[in-house]
Structure formats: structure tokens, C-alpha cells
């Protein structure tokens, strides 16, 4: 199951709103470590009602895809290496660099 | 040069006897029994006036109690991203008043006052980097928070504050990480402790 924060983020984006989960953000999520999992503690998104559980369930598949893609992005980013090293690689042999980057993309496809 | 004054009565300027003697080693004192005559004080001594009886700071009401000290018992896994999550401290080391349970300190009856409170946490290693928040929660809501940016190694962080707490108030430690994925703590261990300040 996708993270609550990802589903809330997509729920807000669907209404052109931004969910800010920071200390003074407009959405506060909380988990009391009591086995009941995370929940929405505070909701202050102007012009958008707090979602119900049913609302959020409709975003579960999309949220899972987004999280998978984020994992892929991070994996690719780590494999690409330091940007300075890549510039040096491009300068020396840009075609070889293209081949290496494409191989990383192919090995880590997005959903 | 040695000298001696011999009298059988000491009086004040109004003629009132303060101390008298029968000349055979028996003395009668008319000094008040309460302070500043601390020579007869027992139990809770008025320390500010000096005292000679056996006592302790605690007996004089000067102890920093209640005190609690707990530490993590295991890694806390699956802390969701962008979610303030209660940190569990499963090993209780000190709990003078039996007021610490379920990783929560609750002020006992008669122990209201100012408390020094500290919570620590260690995030498990990983290449993820993000701005962490560590909270002291009072009665279920954020009372104080500190930020720290985690680099790509294990990272410990601490939050401390002095809070005015009434009887039945409770404090807990919460942590938040915005990395985009579930994260774990590292039970190295990290700790949650505090005590009531004198005064």
C-alpha cells in the first residue's frame, strides 16, 4: 500500500493544491506508534476539504506508481554518478557516456 | 591572655532571661524552639539558616524528582515519510515515581513544575538525505522541535527544552523525515529522559 503522504499529495494536486507536510505546513500527518498507522492530524489546505479514507483509496494505485518511480529515479541517480565526473566523461567520449546512461535507464525502467 | 566571664544568667536589654544556669551544669534556654534556633530542628532542616542534623537535600524538598530515563530497545522500523511518528523507548532505566510508561512520561499528582526534557534519536544509515525534525510533544501536540539535515551516514539528533507541566500533563518524543520512503532508527541506543527542576 502506498504512503499516506503520497496519496494526500496526489489528492491535493488533483485540485491544483499543494500539500506541505513541514513543521508549519498545511497538512500534518501523525503516527502514534500504536499499531493504527498514520492519520491526518491537521488539515489546513485552503479551498479543499479533508479527504475521506474512500477519497484516498482512489489514489492508492497512482501513489504506488509514483513511489516506485521515485525509487527508480533514486536508483538511476546513484548509478549515474557524480555530475562532475559525468561532465569529464562527456568531454572525453560523449558517445560512450550516452551508451552507459541508456544502459542504466534500460536496467531501471519506470512504471 | 586567657580570661573567663562567669555569670548565671544572660538577659536581654529589657531584663528578660535568655539563658540561665544553676551553677552545676544545668541550663535553661528561653530561646524560641523554632528557627532561628536550629539546634533543635529535626527532619526537614531549614538549610538556609544552617543546621547540624543528619538530613538530605531530598528531605529538605530539594530533589530533582521525578526523574525518568529510558532508552531504545530495538530499531524502530518503517517510519513513514512526512509523518510525525512517536518514537518508542522500550527499556526503562530510571523512573523514580512510576510515571513513565509506553514511552510517555505523565506528571504525577503533586509534581507540577518546570521540567528539563531531552529526547534523542539515531537514524539508520543510508544514502538518503533530508531535513529531519525531532519533536517534544506535550499532551499530544508539538511543544518544541529542532531541525537537522541528515547527510549520507548514520545521524543522531537531540531535542531539549524546559517545559512548564501541570499534573497529568504528558510528554513524548516524535520524529519526522521527508525522504519519500519509510526509514528506520538505529538502536545504538538513543534515549528519552527528564527531571523536575528545583524551585
Amino acid at each position: 500500500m502506498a504512503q499516506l503522504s503520497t496519496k494526500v499529495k496526489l489528492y491535493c494536486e488533483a485540485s491544483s493544491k499543494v500539500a506541505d507536510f513541514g513543521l508549519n505546513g498545511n497538512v500534518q500527518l501523525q503516527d502514534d506508534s500504536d499499531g493504527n498507522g498514520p492519520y491526518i492530524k491537521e488539515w489546513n489546505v485552503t479551498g479543499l476539504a479533508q479527504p475521506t479514507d474512500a477519497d484516498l483509496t482512489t489514489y492508492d494505485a497512482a501513489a504506488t506508481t509514483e513511489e516506485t518511480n521515485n525509487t527508480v529515479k533514486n536508483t538511476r541517480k546513484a548509478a549515474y554518478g557524480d555530475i562532475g565526473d559525468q561532465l569529464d566523461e562527456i568531454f572525453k567520449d560523449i558517445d560512450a557516456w550516452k551508451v552507459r546512461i541508456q544502459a542504466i535507464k534500460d536496467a531501471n525502467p519506470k512504471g | 591572655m586567657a580570661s573567663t566571664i562567669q555569670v548565671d544568667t544572660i538577659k536581654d536589654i529589657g531584663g528578660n532571661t535568655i539563658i540561665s544556669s544553676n551553677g552545676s551544669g544545668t541550663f535553661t534556654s528561653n530561646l524560641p524552639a523554632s528557627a532561628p534556633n536550629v539546634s533543635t530542628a529535626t527532619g526537614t532542616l531549614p538549610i538556609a539558616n544552617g543546621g547540624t542534623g543528619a538530613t538530605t537535600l531530598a528531605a529538605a524538598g530539594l530533589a530533582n524528582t521525578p526523574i525518568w530515563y529510558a532508552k531504545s530497545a530495538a530499531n524502530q522500523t518503517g517510519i513513514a515519510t512526512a509523518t510525525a511518528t512517536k518514537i518508542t523507548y522500550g527499556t526503562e532505566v530510571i523512573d523514580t515515581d512510576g510515571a513513565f510508561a509506553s514511552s510517555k512520561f505523565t506528571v504525577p499528582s503533586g509534581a507540577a513544575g518546570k521540567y528539563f526534557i531531552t529526547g534523542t534519536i539515531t537514524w539508520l544509515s543510508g544514502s538518503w538525505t533530508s531535513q529531519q525534525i525531532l519533536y517534544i510533544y506535550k499532551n499530544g501536540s508539538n511543544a518544541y522541535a529542532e531541525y537537522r539535515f541528515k547527510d549520507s551516514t548514520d545521524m543522531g539528533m537531540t531535542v531539549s527544552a524546559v517545559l512548564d507541566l501541570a499534573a497529568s500533563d504528558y510528554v513524548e518524543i516524535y520524529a519526522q523525515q521527508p525522504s519519500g520512503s519509510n526509514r528506520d532508527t538505529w538502536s545504538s541506543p538513543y534515549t528519552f529522559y527528564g527531571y523536575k527542576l528545583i524551585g
Side-chain angles (χ1 to χ4, degrees):
Chain A
M1 180 181 289
Q3 301 255 358
L4 175 62
S5 59
T6 309
K7 291 187 279 190
V8 169
K9 172 179 171 285
L10 294 178
Y11 171 78
C12 288
E13 288 175 353
S15 298
S16 301
K17 302 291 183 181
V18 175
D20 178 358
F21 302 107
L23 182 58
N24 297 308
N26 54 9
V27 181
Q28 298 295 313
L29 306 182
Q30 189 162 307
D31 184 337
D32 297 324
S33 298
D34 54 4
N36 293 321
Y39 61 94
I40 298 172
K41 188 185 184 202
E42 290 182 23
W43 183 266
N44 296 301
V45 180
T46 305
L48 184 62
Q50 179 173 328
T52 63
D53 289 344
D55 291 332
L56 294 174
T57 299
T58 64
Y59 290 92
D60 197 48
T64 299
T65 299
E66 175 158 320
E67 289 172 6
T68 301
N69 287 343
N70 285 339
T71 300
V72 170
K73 282 181 191 173
N74 290 334
T75 302
R76 286 181 177 183
K77 186 178 176 183
Y80 293 156
D82 177 75
I83 189 67
D85 292 340
Q86 288 190 67
L87 288 172
D88 188 50
E89 195 178 347
I90 291 167
F91 177 77
K92 290 175 178 171
D93 188 346
I94 190 169
D95 291 329
W97 173 78
K98 283 183 179 178
V99 169
R100 187 178 73 82
I101 295 299
Q102 188 60 57
I104 292 169
K105 288 179 181 289
D106 293 344
N108 299 281
K110 288 185 178 177
Chain B
M1 181 179 70
S3 60
T4 302
I5 297 175
Q6 287 185 303
V7 295
D8 60 3
T9 304
I10 298 174
K11 296 183 177 182
D12 68 11
I13 198 168
N16 303 299
T17 298
I18 300 173
I19 298 174
S20 62
S21 170
N22 67 358
S24 300
T26 299
F27 305 97
T28 300
S29 170
N30 289 322
L31 288 169
S34 58
N37 181 17
V38 297
S39 61
T40 57
T42 58
T44 302
L45 294 180
I47 285 175
N49 292 329
T52 58
T55 187
T56 64
L57 292 177
L62 295 177
N64 287 112
T65 55
I67 301 172
W68 77 94
Y69 173 59
K71 60 184 181 181
S72 54
N75 294 7
Q76 187 169 337
T77 59
I79 295 176
T81 186
T83 303
T85 301
K86 180 177 174 177
I87 301 303
T88 55
Y89 300 87
T91 301
E92 189 177 296
V93 181
I94 299 171
D95 184 11
T96 58
D97 291 58
F100 186 84
S102 301
S103 302
K104 175 171 74 175
F105 171 76
T106 304
V107 178
S109 175
K114 292 178 174 56
Y115 282 75
F116 178 77
I117 300 162
T118 296
T120 71
I121 188 177
T122 305
W123 293 103
L124 195 59
S125 63
S127 59
W128 59 284
T129 59
S130 60
Q131 184 93 327
Q132 318 302 316
I133 309 173
L134 194 58
Y135 302 92
I136 295 174
Y137 266 40
K138 174 184 173 183
N139 298 333
S141 297
N142 170 34
Y144 186 70
E146 290 189 8
Y147 290 89
R148 190 172 174 195
F149 192 86
K150 179 191 174 297
D151 59 20
S152 59
T153 61
D154 294 336
M155 188 198 79
M157 64 185 299
T158 300
V159 61
S160 292
V162 173
L163 297 181
D164 217 341
L165 302 179
S168 299
D169 281 351
Y170 60 93
V171 289
E172 303 157 292
I173 301 298
Y174 278 69
Q176 185 169 336
Q177 56 85 15
S179 72
S181 302
N182 287 355
R183 299 298 174 188
D184 305 335
T185 65
W186 179 38
S187 180
S188 52
Y190 44 84
T191 56
F192 178 27
Y193 58 91
Y195 51 88
K196 184 185 175 188
L197 298 171
I198 294 171

